[in-house]
């Protein structure tokens, strides 16, 4: 098995460093990834991506979530092509504005209206603003370490952020209802909202499924206080349940924020919410130059209809379980202790004996060099295009990667 | 001449109101526009747009700025098609990330690097954050009434905004250097940045060209204090000068924020800046799920190259002057006093005798019903696709619209 070479990638990385701060910034920077991870990509098709050197990968990141049906899904591309023939953007939305809002309201038990933007951060920001407008209160409760976007109020790094930008926030611990109760008490009569992700998916940590009792408790605290319960479904949305990621545990938020997978890779974000919050949503002023464009909304309608018609989430669960079982068996066979956490369709793997992700770096590096793209410190994503054959091909390569981990770092 | 009918539009407006707060929100809501302005659009081509009822308009809004080469410009569409065949988004950028950054640095005298996002608000927000990161100071000076986006720190409406969100801001008056000096004094040793638009283009007001002495004075104040001069070129960028909208007056900002016209309608924003600010730009963490997508960047490269190769700005100025001269002559002939303000390629018209834009509403309504889309209270935009024939056809219709204004509101 031949491993990859990265000549063209290295040239582009050098050129990028001259004209872009850091070369590539943000979550898609490869600067904190080991050898074998390319920075620049050329194309994708189904479950596969190719980098600028023509190296092929089975893609378990799916653009960090957006690609939920596979790259270049036919129905989505057809919908986008049709709208693109009409034009990029106009002085108002196209009729897909209405089609998509109606579809989101139809599939979401707790939603009476929908609202659109471009970034996931736009959606979480709007959700927080509308909660403050609705309640007339200021305090926002967030889980310590959770990622809700990268605007001044929520970016995880402090550079350029003032204390005032992150004022009016109280932190709780995910899945610890007592810590939420304490935060609610601290907020006193100034509690606007509790924002929560459907499960714990903080980078650099094992994922943690939500405790249904925690979710019910948070819902009750919001009911008691009049606070708005915001589900940040940006990362998990459309992979757990089409009605929202807490439908399986029977807990309904007041508003949900979506982005990433909503349009299979095309730039779109959405907030959906209850009737009671409509007036506040009308008052908050957020808008953007490209928020009314039709092609992305046509893509979202096609994506959601395809997910529903093909029962795609069940397929992702089945394939995800195969991958998890296969990796578990391989790790055991190599005498390596791993943890696989989170939903099988949004998987993550860490090594129990790692101090600083050293085995994860070796493992993901060896896999990438041979054509399997698995991230060492951020959760992965499956798509509906992933097949049993993909998993089988993946496991051939991860078997070698585990073997190298064992050779380099020893048993454990 | 037959005026338009709006049956399909009315149906969609009714459906939208049920499932979207306000039906359509933000700057593209037609709720504050008079009869004749459709809410929903079907397609565009060159200088023309068609609404969902098939009514055709000569488009003087260009999607509120993004369409700078005309709808569906061939070179841009070809570039987008090519990248779209590769896929929507991946685990890293495409090589257009590098091509576009190199091109922006090449055409912008004050730029050593470029940074990309999706919304104009992303760009202005990043510029402010990087100024604070660079200076270690907090105060931001803004012109009273200026629009720099719709995040909590800058949205023009108060709903959902806390006092802390808009802390650390001091206001000056556009073109009033003394007011900037006072604001600088008020900031004391905590001045991070002065943000300024290339000319005054606040909605509901006549536009005001920048006084070069004001611009030079602001530049000097930044030089003296170490504050970062941010040019918010989101609205005007790529219509005044390809090197930035203050190139003609010879004043160089430290950073510029772009969006709207940068990719002829495709969703993209950019910040460009000086070498001295690169380290701060590397520290600030902002990112987005769709910020690395290739098609929009390919569109931007094609847009900028076409603007340059065709000398498109000179063309827009020539056509804009024809329109301005024609409207002036018509208004005089009808005994109506108007003001036309701002650059001719980003024009605006108000009626001197209006108390509450009543003549503007009549004028724009009568024009829209007959096929000319002119906004009553927001500046307009020309594109490179507008022709002498478009202006001639426009003036035939505005002549009738002025006549109706005269009939309804009388002389003056």
């Amino acid at each position: 098995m031949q491993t990859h070479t990265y000549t063209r990638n290295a040239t582009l990385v050098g050129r990028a460093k001259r004209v872009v701060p850091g070369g590539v910034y943000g979550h898609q920077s490869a600067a904190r990834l080991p050898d074998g991870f390319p920075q620049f990509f050329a194309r994708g098709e189904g479950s596969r991506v190719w980098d600028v050197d023509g190296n092929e990968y089975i893609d378990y990141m799916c653009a960090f979530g957006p690609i939920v049906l596979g790259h270049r899904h036919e129905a989505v591309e057809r919908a986008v092509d049709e709208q693109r023939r009409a034009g990029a953007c106009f002085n108002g939305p196209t009729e897909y504005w209405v089609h998509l809002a109606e579809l989101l309201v139809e599939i979401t038990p707790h939603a009476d209206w929908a609202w659109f933007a471009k970034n996931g951060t736009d959606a979480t920001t709007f959700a927080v603003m509308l909660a403050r407008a609705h309640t007339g209160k200021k305090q926002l409760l967030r889980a310590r370490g959770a990622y809700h976007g990268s605007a001044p109020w929520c970016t995880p790094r402090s550079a350029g952020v003032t204390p005032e930008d992150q004022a009016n926030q109280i932190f709780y611990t995910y899945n610890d209802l007592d810590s939420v109760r304490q935060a609610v008490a601290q907020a006193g009569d100034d509690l606007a909202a509790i924002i929560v992700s459907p499960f714990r998916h903080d980078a650099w940590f094992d994922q943690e499924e939500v405790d249904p009792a925690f979710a019910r408790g948070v819902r009750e605290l919001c009911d008691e206080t009049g606070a708005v319960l915001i589900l940040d479904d940006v990362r998990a949305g459309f992979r757990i349940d089409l009605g929202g990621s807490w439908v399986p545990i029977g807990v309904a938020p007041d508003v949900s924020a979506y982005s990433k997978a909503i349009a299979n890779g095309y730039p779109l974000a959405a907030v959906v919410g209850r009737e009671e919050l409509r007036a506040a949503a009308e008052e908050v002023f957020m808008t953007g130059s490209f928020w009314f464009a039709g092609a992305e909304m046509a893509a979202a309608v096609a994506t959601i209809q395809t997910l529903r018609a093909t029962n795609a989430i069940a397929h992702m669960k089945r394939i995800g379980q195969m991958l998890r079982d296969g990796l578990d068996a391989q790790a055991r066979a190599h005498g390596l202790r791993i943890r696989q956490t989170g939903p099988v369709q949004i998987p993550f793997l860490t090594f129990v004996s790692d101090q600083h992700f050293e085995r994860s770096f070796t493992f993901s590096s060896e896999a990438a060099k041979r054509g399997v793209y698995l991230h060492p410190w951020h959760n992965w994503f499956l798509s509906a295009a992933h097949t049993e054959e993909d998993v089988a091909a993946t496991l051939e390569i991860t078997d070698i990667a585990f073997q190298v981990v064992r050779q380099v770092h020893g048993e454990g």
Side-chain angles (χ1 to χ4, degrees), chain A:
Chain A
M1 188 181 290
Q2 213 177 344
T3 62
H4 295 163
T5 54
Y6 302 90
T7 318
R8 174 93 184 127
N9 187 71
T11 303
L12 287 168
V13 166
R15 285 168 59 187
K17 278 183 182 159
R18 284 196 285 278
V19 288
V20 179
V24 175
Y25 46 79
H27 68 293
Q28 292 205 350
S29 168
R32 289 201 288 177
L33 293 174
D35 288 348
F37 281 91
Q39 179 62 81
F40 291 94
F41 287 82
R43 66 187 181 94
E45 193 76 49
S47 61
R48 309 289 169 128
V49 285
W50 286 263
D51 67 22
V52 288
D53 287 285
N55 302 311
E56 179 178 340
Y57 305 82
I58 305 176
D59 178 15
Y60 288 100
M61 287 308 286
C62 296
F64 288 69
I67 304 297
V68 67
L69 292 170
H71 294 276
R72 292 189 48 68
H73 185 275
E74 197 195 340
V76 177
E77 297 306 305
R78 205 184 314 121
V80 171
D81 279 337
E82 187 205 309
Q83 275 297 292
R84 278 225 22 253
R85 273 195 296 276
C89 56
F90 311 113
N91 304 330
T94 72
E95 62 179 346
Y96 276 96
W97 177 273
V98 179
H99 298 330
L100 178 57
E102 288 175 345
L103 181 58
L104 286 169
V105 167
E106 179 196 333
I107 65 171
T108 315
H110 62 277
D112 297 299
W113 52 261
W115 176 98
F116 307 114
K118 278 282 161 266
N119 300 315
T121 304
D122 299 336
T124 54
T125 300
F126 179 74
V128 170
M129 290 177 78
L130 92 85
R132 286 179 173 149
H134 175 71
T135 60
K137 298 175 178 183
K138 294 200 300 188
Q139 297 296 328
L140 171 70
L141 273 47
R142 304 169 50 186
R144 206 166 279 109
Y147 182 81
H148 296 298
S150 59
W153 71 268
C154 55
T155 184
R157 237 186 271 169
S158 62
V161 177
T162 68
E164 291 83 358
D165 287 331
Q166 302 202 342
N168 303 312
Q169 301 184 7
I170 303 171
F171 290 85
Y172 64 85
T173 302
Y174 199 90
N175 269 344
D176 177 351
L177 191 56
D178 278 340
S179 73
V180 184
R181 286 198 191 100
Q182 283 164 26
V184 168
Q186 197 183 326
D189 62 358
D190 197 26
L191 179 60
I194 303 177
I195 189 167
V196 60
S197 54
F199 61 95
R200 192 182 170 211
H201 47 46
D202 312 348
W204 300 98
F205 287 92
D206 286 320
Q207 300 192 103
E208 200 177 310
E209 301 266 16
V210 67
D211 175 356
F214 168 79
R216 284 191 297 269
V218 170
R219 175 69 271 176
E220 284 162 16
L221 284 167
C222 286
D223 291 339
E224 288 164 16
T225 58
V228 175
L229 179 53
I230 303 167
L231 188 68
D232 179 356
D233 223 347
V234 168
R235 200 181 301 182
F238 305 99
R239 278 189 171 84
I240 308 288
D241 191 293
L242 286 188
S245 295
W246 274 6
V247 165
I249 60 165
V251 177
D254 298 308
V255 275
S256 297
Y258 289 113
S259 184
K260 287 202 181 280
I262 192 170
N264 203 47
Y266 290 95
L268 192 70
V271 171
V272 299
R274 288 186 193 286
E275 188 58 39
E276 292 75 6
L277 295 164
R278 187 192 293 258
E282 289 182 16
E283 280 171 47
V284 173
F285 188 80
M286 275 184 73
T287 189
S289 294
F290 312 110
W291 292 13
F292 309 89
E296 295 89 320
M297 294 184 187
V301 169
T303 299
I304 295 168
Q305 284 174 339
T306 303
L307 286 167
R308 182 163 63 173
T310 60
N311 205 3
I313 292 176
H315 172 81
M316 286 188 267
K317 283 185 188 170
R318 193 171 62 82
I319 297 297
Q321 192 63 54
M322 284 183 60
L323 178 67
R324 183 160 295 187
D325 293 344
L327 291 170
D328 262 337
Q330 285 184 335
R332 265 197 310 277
H334 286 285
L336 295 164
R337 288 186 302 148
I338 62 168
R339 277 188 292 254
Q340 296 197 78
T341 52
V344 293
Q345 66 273 40
I346 308 178
F348 190 43
L349 180 160
T350 59
F351 290 84
V352 175
S353 305
D354 262 359
Q355 298 296 310
H356 300 290
F357 288 81
E358 62 276 11
R359 287 171 188 78
S360 287
F361 271 63
T362 302
F363 178 71
S364 61
S365 177
E366 295 300 323
K369 286 176 197 167
R370 291 171 176 84
V372 172
Y373 196 109
L374 302 168
H375 204 284
W377 50 263
H378 187 291
N379 68 262
W380 315 338
F381 298 88
L382 261 67
S383 80
H386 286 80
T387 62
E388 294 186 23
E389 292 71 29
D390 287 328
V391 172
T394 298
L395 291 172
E396 279 185 40
I397 287 168
T398 54
D399 195 44
I400 302 170
F402 277 127
Q403 193 183 313
V404 177
V405 169
R406 170 69 187 269
Q407 284 164 0
V408 173
H409 302 281
E411 209 171 316

